[in-house]
Amino acid sequence: MVIDFRLRPPYDETFKYLTSPTLEKAYTYITGFDTPKSLINFSMEECIREMDEAGITQGVVTGRRTCTTMVVKEGAEQANNDAIIQMMKEYPGRFIGAYGFDPTEGKRAIDWMDEYILNGPFTAALVEPGMASQPMSLEDERVLPFYDYCESNNIPVLLAFGELNYRAIRHMTIEALDNVLEMFPKMKTTVFHGGWPYTNEICWVAFNHDNLYISPDYTMLPTFGGHQDFINYANSFLQDKFIFGSAYPFCAMKPIKEYYDSVLKPEVRDKVMYYNALHALNLPIPEDAPEIIPHYVGAPIPEEGSDLDLWKKYKKGTYRTMWDK
């Protein structure tokens, strides 16, 4: 069993922002893999076949209302999330949906997550502060109510953190991630692209916070500086924190899956390729799942004893009323 935590299938027009000759050439240089045939032909049937050939049983697909210049057309902001709903219906059991929202949409976004996650087909929420219609830091006060909402409702958060998901490094600091996890210690969070270039630092954050998982996807390839940090930690004391992702269509699924197989120790492989994703997404855990290795993490720092500035910006529990001011 394998769950691909970063898979964007060629389902319809709303996924074509990932296709262009320039992108295909760039990612061939980065990964060393040929462009997937399913992308060249923009074929969902070929994509499913490539999943089967790679042994991938399920893929996590993230919707987007953000990335305005790349994805969202004015008047069709919901189109990509709607496409995922149809995809999950058309291919039952093959895809796990994460609803993407734009933090600048305020209370409306909370209402949509009620509809599509708590009472709908999506399993998790995708947060991309750096690619919102108004790019912001991941600890911006406009994002804090959404973290609060997700923590309060036990909704897993998939956080774009690393690679080019931020256009300014001031919006993507490792301290900001650590601060958010300190304020919301029960919010299960998985970062895409492994937090690159903060490879060693993000492993420390994952070691220090029980609620953080790392999905390095293609930043675990030798092309990326720090990739050996990921391999070392995934094979040792952070074996319960790493999650496989192909980054398809930027990577062909079979070769990157085989690469992960080649660098992971046999005793941790099933955790990284399958079980850790179940934990991160609050999905049922089989009785025969491998045990989580003992790991000590200190108790969360309470607000009254904290010097964290975020407590001055936002009061937890007000995510439904803060826009009524």
Side-chain angles (χ1 to χ4, degrees), residues 61-64 78 80-86 88 96-100 112-113 115-126 155-156:
V61 186
T62 51
R64 276 172 160 161
Q78 183 60 20
N80 193 229
N81 283 312
D82 285 345
I84 294 174
I85 295 174
Q86 293 304 120
M88 290 189 289
I96 300 165
Y99 182 85
W112 287 324
M113 288 197 285
E115 179 180 354
Y116 291 105
I117 304 176
L118 289 185
N119 300 297
F122 289 88
T123 299
L126 172 70
I155 294 173

Side-chain angles (χ1 to χ4, degrees), residues 89-136:
K89 290 179 180 177
E90 192 171 341
Y91 301 93
R94 292 310 300 260
F95 299 106
I96 300 165
Y99 182 85
F101 67 90
D102 188 331
T104 65
E105 291 174 311
K107 187 177 182 298
R108 291 186 301 164
I110 295 288
D111 294 337
W112 287 324
M113 288 197 285
D114 273 352
E115 179 180 354
Y116 291 105
I117 304 176
L118 289 185
N119 300 297
F122 289 88
T123 299
L126 172 70
V127 188
E128 296 183 289
M131 300 187 83
S133 54
Q134 298 173 23
M136 63 189 74

Side-chain angles (χ1 to χ4, degrees), residues 201-218:
E201 293 87 346
I202 203 166
C203 290
W204 178 87
V205 177
F207 181 69
N208 195 45
H209 293 279
D210 265 343
N211 56 329
L212 180 65
Y213 295 84
I214 301 170
S215 184
D217 48 72
Y218 76 139

Side-chain angles (χ1 to χ4, degrees), residues 199-252:
T199 54
N200 201 48
E201 293 87 346
I202 203 166
C203 290
W204 178 87
V205 177
F207 181 69
N208 195 45
H209 293 279
D210 265 343
N211 56 329
L212 180 65
Y213 295 84
I214 301 170
S215 184
D217 48 72
Y218 76 139
T219 67
M220 195 154 164
L221 294 171
T223 315
F224 289 88
H227 79 284
Q228 191 62 48
D229 294 331
F230 289 150
I231 295 171
N232 293 344
Y233 292 127
N235 278 323
S236 56
F237 60 88
L238 290 182
Q239 61 187 258
D240 297 302
K241 293 300 196 81
F242 276 84
I243 298 174
F244 165 71
S246 69
Y248 174 95
F250 299 148
C251 284

Side-chain angles (χ1 to χ4, degrees), residues 18-314:
L18 295 166
T19 67
S20 75
T22 301
L23 276 177
E24 291 170 18
K25 181 177 290 187
Y27 282 94
T28 296
Y29 278 115
I30 290 172
T31 67
F33 305 142
D34 292 336
T35 301
K37 290 183 179 179
S38 57
L39 177 63
I40 295 172
N41 298 325
F42 208 75
S43 167
M44 195 67 185
E45 286 65 33
E46 290 185 27
C47 178
I48 295 293
R49 184 161 56 249
E50 289 171 8
M51 289 177 69
D52 291 340
E53 290 172 354
I56 293 170
T57 47
Q58 287 183 297
V60 176
V61 186
T62 51
R64 276 172 160 161
R65 293 183 63 92
T66 54
C67 305
T68 304
T69 58
M70 294 171 57
V71 186
V72 179
K73 296 180 180 179
E74 187 175 354
E77 290 84 358
Q78 183 60 20
N80 193 229
N81 283 312
D82 285 345
I84 294 174
I85 295 174
Q86 293 304 120
M87 186 193 309
M88 290 189 289
K89 290 179 180 177
E90 192 171 341
Y91 301 93
R94 292 310 300 260
F95 299 106
I96 300 165
Y99 182 85
F101 67 90
D102 188 331
T104 65
E105 291 174 311
K107 187 177 182 298
R108 291 186 301 164
I110 295 288
D111 294 337
W112 287 324
M113 288 197 285
D114 273 352
E115 179 180 354
Y116 291 105
I117 304 176
L118 289 185
N119 300 297
F122 289 88
T123 299
L126 172 70
V127 188
E128 296 183 289
M131 300 187 83
S133 54
Q134 298 173 23
M136 63 189 74
S137 166
L138 64 95
E139 63 174 346
D140 189 285
E141 60 188 302
R142 289 169 289 181
V143 196
L144 301 181
F146 300 100
Y147 299 143
D148 188 12
Y149 169 88
C150 290
E151 183 185 58
S152 299
N153 290 283
N154 199 27
I155 294 173
V157 169
L158 311 187
L159 181 64
F161 183 77
E163 202 240 9
L164 293 179
N165 288 97
Y166 294 79
R167 305 308 301 165
I169 204 160
R170 68 180 178 276
H171 289 160
M172 190 194 87
T173 67
I174 197 70
E175 291 87 356
L177 176 63
D178 190 52
N179 291 343
V180 167
L181 295 172
E182 179 180 330
M183 187 173 188
F184 302 99
K186 295 182 181 179
M187 178 181 72
K188 281 193 176 179
T189 305
T190 304
V191 293
F192 293 127
H193 304 317
W196 184 84
Y198 303 111
T199 54
N200 201 48
E201 293 87 346
I202 203 166
C203 290
W204 178 87
V205 177
F207 181 69
N208 195 45
H209 293 279
D210 265 343
N211 56 329
L212 180 65
Y213 295 84
I214 301 170
S215 184
D217 48 72
Y218 76 139
T219 67
M220 195 154 164
L221 294 171
T223 315
F224 289 88
H227 79 284
Q228 191 62 48
D229 294 331
F230 289 150
I231 295 171
N232 293 344
Y233 292 127
N235 278 323
S236 56
F237 60 88
L238 290 182
Q239 61 187 258
D240 297 302
K241 293 300 196 81
F242 276 84
I243 298 174
F244 165 71
S246 69
Y248 174 95
F250 299 148
C251 284
M253 288 177 269
K254 186 175 181 181
I256 193 168
K257 189 262 185 181
E258 290 176 343
Y259 170 78
Y260 269 72
D261 286 341
S262 72
V263 299
L264 293 173
K265 294 179 179 178
E267 59 268 30
V268 308
R269 180 199 168 278
D270 287 346
K271 287 185 173 185
V272 175
M273 306 302 284
Y274 182 61
Y275 291 106
N276 292 348
L278 298 181
H279 287 288
L281 293 171
N282 291 330
L283 295 175
I285 309 298
E287 291 184 0
D288 61 349
E291 291 184 357
I292 296 175
I293 61 172
H295 175 56
Y296 172 77
V297 174
I301 301 172
E303 178 181 358
E304 57 271 19
S306 174
D307 65 344
L308 185 64
D309 286 341
L310 293 186
W311 293 114
K312 302 174 185 176
K313 293 183 178 181
Y314 176 75

